[in-house]
Amino acid sequence: MGRTALLVVLGLGLAFNIFTYNLHKSNASLSEKQMDYVRMNVARNLARSAVHMVLRAYDRGENPSSFDAEFNNGVARAEVTTSGDTMWMSTEGVYEEKTYPIELVLMRGTKPFPNVNAAAGIRVNPVDFKMSGSPTIDGRNWNETGTALVGTGDLQGVSTMTSLDSSNVINEGGSRLKGSPPVKVDTTTADPLQFVNEYIVNADYTYGPGTYSSLTWGSSTNPVIVVCATPDTLTSVKFTGNVVGWGVLVVRGNLEIAGNFKFHGLVIVYGEDNIVNASAATGTPDIIGGLILAGAAHTSLTMKGTSELKYSSESLEKAKNIGKLRYYSILDWYE
Amino acid sequence: MSTLLDYLGSAIIFGILIITVIRVQTNISSIQTEMRSVIDSQTYAVDFVKQLEFDFNKIGHEVSTQKILIAHSDRIRFRSDLLNNGTVRTIEYRLGTPSDAAGTTNPNDIPIYRREDASEIIQIIGLTQFAIEYFDSLNVAMPAPITTADSLNRIRAMRVSFKIESMEPPITRAEEDTTYPAVVMERFIIPRNLSRW
């Protein structure tokens, strides 16, 4: 009897253990299925994050050909090749044993960049234009450093809105104006109000009224956006000695450049509904790229000393490709 | 006499023990069956959502013409090079009727058909609800059905929601209590090729 009872109890114990094992096994199977999906999702998010990490690196001017980062207990990888404005990217997210690949092709575009139609594009009617000394405005196409002519792609030296202004500019400038032709009426000069906000919100450097010297803004391979604003027509922003920059310089209000100021790229001086003054004064301040001047009637452009304003498509092209001004369009995406 | 009482007591205790064991076994079996139903529902749901994501993420891949052909709340037809091998196929999802899934005990489940070019498969997975919402580039919902080519070209994202129930009810005490364990899932999918040139 005792042995029988013992056998019955052992048998029952074995049966309950089998039931419990099966229940646990069912639970584990369900959990594993769910976790497998979770792992796939995390790997996918890592692969997509890799895309963004690469694009942000390009925006910072880093141009990586490969990328590998540990993130969120996984790995995000990318391989990139570019040809012109087309970018081929393969990314992979790895989380535990799950791998998620993505293949994509992107086209890099540039947010609207104004059409520069002259070394000095004047969108003012009428403009107060003055030249004294030996300054030059040259619409011939110079290289990025302003040291050699490219030979092709020349533009007019100065573009004006009316034939009256064109005559006045020719009379004032004479042989100090060069280009193809030196002066021309061109009403298509870009209106800064259409695009300047993009530069203002993406500014790398900002300045208020005052006099500044010994500054370096960006470089040939890393152009930047500089934004200056004066609150009224009585104050101005003045850049004097040892100021060098590449990219886009936006001035809302009055600008004075002097000393050995040298800027490679696009300079925009504008007033929303007021008169502004752009002047290149003493010393040898140079702009190599292009100038757009816009404002109310009698907005002025004054050039003195030996200042030079040279058109350069190479400088403008680099300014156009500032990382912050690029956007990416999807040509193809496979995941 | 005392021996007889011992045997009688043993028999009663043994009987009680057996009845208890039988009841425990019945409960465990019931729980196992219900768990099996839940596991099956969740397994089908996970596999189905993986399938949908695989297909929908590739909508418009390598397609230069109309990418989405039909966009209803319960039906979608689109074109894509699913396998990235240069062959563009037409894929369609549409719902059947409960009578198409008459082989299951659940009276509410409906099959979903997946057609790839001329080949169609029927998937009976306990699906009782299935809906697709479409969104444009501003994330504004577009009322379905979307019929014009211009509107179809404005689709940039979709929200797929579905409910999967077990096809067989777990064993319960009451015959009229037919509760089907269910799983509800929702996915917001943005096919990247819909926003490409």
Side-chain angles (χ1 to χ4, degrees):
Chain A
M1 186 66 183
R3 281 201 201 109
T4 306
L6 185 63
L7 283 172
V8 168
V9 168
L10 286 174
L12 284 172
L14 181 64
F16 285 137
N17 279 332
I18 292 172
F19 296 146
T20 306
Y21 171 76
N22 283 334
L23 282 174
H24 280 304
K25 191 176 164 191
S26 299
N27 268 337
S29 169
L30 176 61
S31 297
E32 182 53 35
K33 193 76 179 180
Q34 302 276 16
M35 283 309 299
D36 184 69
Y37 183 60
V38 170
R39 287 187 205 102
M40 190 202 77
N41 272 314
V42 175
R44 176 171 57 202
N45 290 338
L46 285 167
R48 290 177 178 174
S49 295
V51 174
H52 291 282
M53 291 179 191
V54 167
L55 296 184
R56 296 297 77 77
Y58 268 89
D59 288 346
R60 292 191 299 267
E62 293 172 9
N63 297 339
S65 60
S66 65
F67 182 90
D68 199 313
E70 288 187 13
F71 180 73
N72 199 25
N73 296 320
V75 176
R77 296 194 187 106
E79 299 283 336
V80 185
T81 54
T82 59
S83 175
D85 282 334
T86 306
M87 178 190 290
W88 290 266
M89 199 186 306
S90 298
T91 71
E92 187 177 79
V94 181
Y95 182 75
E96 294 186 7
E97 70 272 16
K98 277 293 179 188
T99 301
Y100 194 92
I102 298 178
E103 304 275 339
L104 58 148
V105 182
L106 301 176
M107 183 154 127
R108 292 198 293 175
T110 305
K111 291 176 184 175
F113 193 85
N115 177 40
V116 178
N117 59 0
I122 299 176
R123 191 182 172 88
V124 180
N125 180 18
V127 62
D128 288 353
F129 183 85
K130 297 182 183 62
M131 289 185 96
S132 62
S134 303
T136 57
I137 298 179
D138 193 342
R140 294 175 296 172
N141 193 7
W142 291 80
N143 64 4
E144 179 193 15
T145 57
T147 54
L149 286 167
V150 171
T152 59
D154 297 345
L155 298 178
Q156 50 258 33
V158 180
S159 67
T160 62
M161 296 295 283
T162 64
S163 55
L164 180 59
D165 277 342
S166 177
S167 299
N168 290 338
V169 168
I170 290 173
N171 290 338
E172 184 71 17
S175 61
R176 293 172 291 193
L177 304 175
K178 298 180 174 62
S180 179
V183 182
K184 184 181 176 183
V185 176
D186 189 342
T187 58
T188 65
T189 299
D191 179 6
L193 294 178
Q194 303 294 324
F195 54 84
V196 75
N197 283 335
E198 192 74 48
Y199 302 142
I200 293 172
V201 299
N202 285 301
D204 294 292
Y205 301 90
T206 56
Y207 299 91
T211 302
Y212 305 92
S213 61
S214 299
L215 299 171
T216 301
W217 299 318
S219 65
S220 172
T221 53
N222 183 30
V224 295
I225 301 172
V226 182
V227 172
C228 312
T230 57
D232 55 52
T233 57
L234 300 176
T235 57
S236 64
V237 175
K238 185 173 180 181
F239 296 109
T240 59
N242 298 322
V243 176
V244 184
W246 285 261
V248 177
L249 170 60
V250 177
V251 180
R252 182 169 65 87
N254 303 317
L255 170 68
E256 288 181 50
I257 55 175
N260 54 351
F261 172 94
K262 193 181 285 288
F263 192 84
H264 308 259
L266 176 64
V267 177
I268 301 167
V269 180
Y270 77 103
E272 288 167 18
D273 57 0
N274 52 300
I275 296 171
V276 294
N277 305 294
S279 69
T282 57
T284 56
D286 295 338
I287 295 174
I288 301 155
L291 166 70
I292 294 177
L293 176 68
H298 299 292
T299 286
S300 68
L301 173 59
T302 305
M303 294 191 67
K304 301 176 183 176
T306 53
S307 57
E308 290 184 327
L309 172 49
K310 293 178 175 177
Y311 168 71
S312 169
S313 62
E314 190 178 338
S315 287
L316 293 174
E317 192 64 27
K318 292 199 174 181
K320 190 190 294 188
N321 290 321
I322 292 173
K324 290 179 180 180
L325 301 180
R326 304 306 297 268
Y327 67 89
Y328 301 90
S329 300
I330 296 172
L331 294 182
D332 194 57
W333 188 292
Y334 183 79
E335 63 170 278
Chain B
M1 185 64 178
S2 64
T3 307
L4 189 62
L5 282 172
D6 283 342
Y7 278 127
L8 193 61
S10 299
I12 292 171
I13 291 170
F14 189 71
I16 294 171
L17 190 62
I18 289 296
I19 291 170
T20 305
V21 167
I22 290 171
R23 287 194 62 173
V24 167
Q25 183 184 357
T26 304
N27 286 340
I28 289 174
S29 295
S30 175
I31 291 170
Q32 267 198 307
T33 307
E34 185 165 347
M35 283 207 65
R36 190 74 250 161
S37 299
V38 170
I39 290 168
D40 286 346
S41 300
Q42 298 203 18
T43 302
Y44 287 134
V46 170
D47 288 340
F48 187 54
V49 80
K50 279 181 172 177
Q51 175 188 314
L52 289 177
E53 286 177 342
F54 179 87
D55 285 346
F56 285 18
N57 273 321
K58 296 170 180 64
I59 292 176
H61 175 56
E62 296 290 358
V63 176
S64 55
T65 56
Q66 191 76 28
K67 299 181 178 70
I68 298 179
L69 304 169
I70 292 176
H72 294 189
S73 59
D74 58 356
R75 182 183 176 199
I76 183 170
R77 183 189 296 169
F78 57 90
R79 304 180 73 229
S80 171
D81 177 5
L82 280 187
L83 301 180
N84 203 26
N85 58 5
T87 304
V88 174
R89 302 178 188 278
T90 302
I91 295 93
E92 179 175 351
Y93 281 87
R94 65 179 181 88
L95 296 180
T97 59
S99 60
D100 292 339
T104 64
T105 304
N106 189 333
N108 301 318
D109 67 330
I110 46 179
I112 185 161
Y113 293 87
R114 181 182 182 280
R115 174 182 287 272
E116 187 171 324
D117 287 338
S119 149
E120 185 174 67
I121 58 169
I122 179 173
Q123 293 177 278
I124 300 174
I125 53 175
L127 191 68
T128 54
Q129 292 174 14
F130 180 81
I132 307 175
E133 290 176 85
Y134 303 91
F135 298 86
D136 63 13
S137 59
L138 298 175
N139 219 28
V140 173
M142 302 171 70
I146 300 169
T147 52
T148 64
D150 183 56
S151 296
L152 288 168
N153 289 335
R154 284 175 44 226
I155 297 172
R156 292 292 178 268
M158 51 206 69
R159 180 189 291 135
V160 183
S161 51
F162 60 87
K163 181 178 179 183
I164 288 180
E165 296 180 358
S166 66
M167 289 176 275
E168 305 297 329
I171 298 171
T172 59
R173 257 190 247 177
E175 287 298 324
E176 64 273 11
D177 180 14
T178 52
T179 306
Y180 299 91
V183 176
V184 176
M185 289 189 88
E186 187 177 282
R187 274 292 176 270
F188 192 81
I189 300 171
I190 305 175
R192 309 288 174 173
N193 291 294
L194 289 180
S195 54
R196 70 172 174 84
W197 294 356

